[in-house]
Amino acid sequence: MFLSIHIGNYLKGKSCSVFSAPIDVRLAENTFTDEETINVVQPDLLVICETSKIDDRGIKGAPDWIIEITSPSTLKHDFGTKLLLYQKYGVREYWIVDPSTKNIHTFGLDNYGKYNPGNSYKGEDIISPGIFPDLKIIPNEIFTT
């Protein structure tokens, strides 16, 4: 909840919005219809800056930022399948929050549409998403609230 509130407060007055699960995100090639879209995910948190992607069925297209809260049962899926899927469809920033290790892993798209090798943060580290460099998040604040 801390992340959702913190990000939501930061986005007040900006053109972006934060959403939390359950909300469907439909990822497909631009030429695909909704019926042809097979990649439907429900990220724990997401930020959308293009309001045209929001419709009555959720989000159509890549959010600007996705945050997944992982668990032992979803760890492999979050670091494997979802990471590749989000990269393929152009999610600019992807974070994986791991409550068991109290780490936050961040991935941002490079100029070639590939995620950087990723960084891991914990404790009093200060994280700023690439898309919002003035937003500051400290892992200890997330895991103690």
Side-chain angles (χ1 to χ4, degrees):
M1 289 301 296
F2 172 82
L3 269 175
S4 180
I5 293 167
H6 190 63
I7 294 167
N9 285 337
Y10 170 82
L11 293 175
K12 282 184 182 170
K14 294 179 175 54
S15 61
C16 303
S17 299
V18 65
F19 296 88
S20 59
I23 185 166
D24 285 343
V25 174
R26 303 178 320 276
L27 300 170
E29 305 302 326
N30 289 337
T31 58
F32 282 27
T33 66
D34 278 345
E35 293 73 30
E36 295 170 315
T37 300
I38 59 170
N39 297 306
V40 180
V41 293
Q42 286 192 343
D44 294 306
L45 288 173
L46 64 96
V47 172
I48 274 287
C49 296
E50 286 183 58
T51 57
S52 63
K53 292 182 178 182
I54 304 167
D55 63 21
D56 60 344
R57 295 182 64 196
I59 308 295
K60 184 173 185 176
D64 295 279
W65 182 13
I66 287 181
I67 300 172
E68 295 286 4
I69 314 297
T70 198
S71 68
S73 64
T74 65
L75 193 65
K76 187 175 179 180
H77 190 61
D78 291 335
F79 277 100
T81 307
K82 283 188 175 180
L83 185 135
L84 293 174
L85 184 69
Y86 296 159
Q87 176 182 266
K88 177 180 179 178
Y89 289 104
V91 175
R92 293 171 50 198
E93 189 110 8
Y94 176 43
W95 287 18
I96 301 171
V97 176
D98 187 345
S100 67
T101 62
K102 297 184 178 183
N103 283 341
I104 299 175
H105 307 275
T106 66
F107 302 89
L109 285 180
D110 64 19
N111 293 335
Y112 303 101
K114 302 290 182 196
Y115 281 134
N116 58 36
N119 294 305
S120 182
Y121 300 91
K122 64 181 179 178
E124 293 298 320
D125 292 341
I126 298 173
I127 315 168
S128 293
I131 61 174
F132 303 119
D134 56 333
L135 172 60
K136 308 294 183 215
I137 296 174
I138 301 170
N140 274 354
E141 293 177 0
I142 294 167
F143 298 114
T144 60
T145 56

